Amino acid sequence: MASDYNDVLQKLCHHLKQFTGPDAEITPETDLINQLAIDSVKLLNLIMEIEDEFDISVPINALADVQTVHELATLIHQIRTANK
């Protein structure tokens, strides 16, 4: 299960770099809004890419409590696990 989460985290970081640039340092503790400047439009585009990548559907209301890369990766992992 940990390797599955790590896979999600790695792919999520790859997608985030497309929105922030290759020089951005992205760790699980990185704040999406304050450190990466992910606004609502970028977040929706990111979620669409994630949904395509993992063949899942992320409810918009589930994003209200997501602030860090780790929280988003955990949410994606939970949705993937529930859909298996």
Side-chain angles (χ1 to χ4, degrees):
M1 183 148 110
S3 63
D4 192 42
Y5 168 81
N6 290 334
D7 182 51
V8 169
L9 185 62
Q10 180 183 0
K11 289 178 179 177
L12 176 59
C13 288
H14 172 75
H15 285 284
L16 281 168
K17 285 200 180 286
Q18 294 174 343
F19 291 95
T20 61
D23 296 334
E25 183 178 338
I26 301 173
T27 68
E29 293 78 32
T30 302
D31 187 295
L32 294 167
I33 297 168
N34 296 321
Q35 292 177 277
L36 298 181
I38 300 292
D39 60 17
S40 57
V41 173
K42 287 180 182 176
L43 182 60
L44 288 176
N45 287 330
L46 174 65
I47 294 304
M48 286 191 297
E49 287 186 13
I50 293 299
E51 288 177 335
D52 288 344
E53 172 91 26
F54 295 108
D55 194 28
I56 60 172
S57 179
V58 178
I60 296 299
N61 61 344
L63 298 172
D65 297 328
V66 172
Q67 294 180 342
T68 66
V69 173
H70 166 71
E71 291 169 348
L72 184 54
T74 299
L75 174 65
I76 294 164
H77 180 257
Q78 289 170 346
I79 293 170
R80 273 185 82 189
T81 303
N83 288 344
K84 286 186 177 180

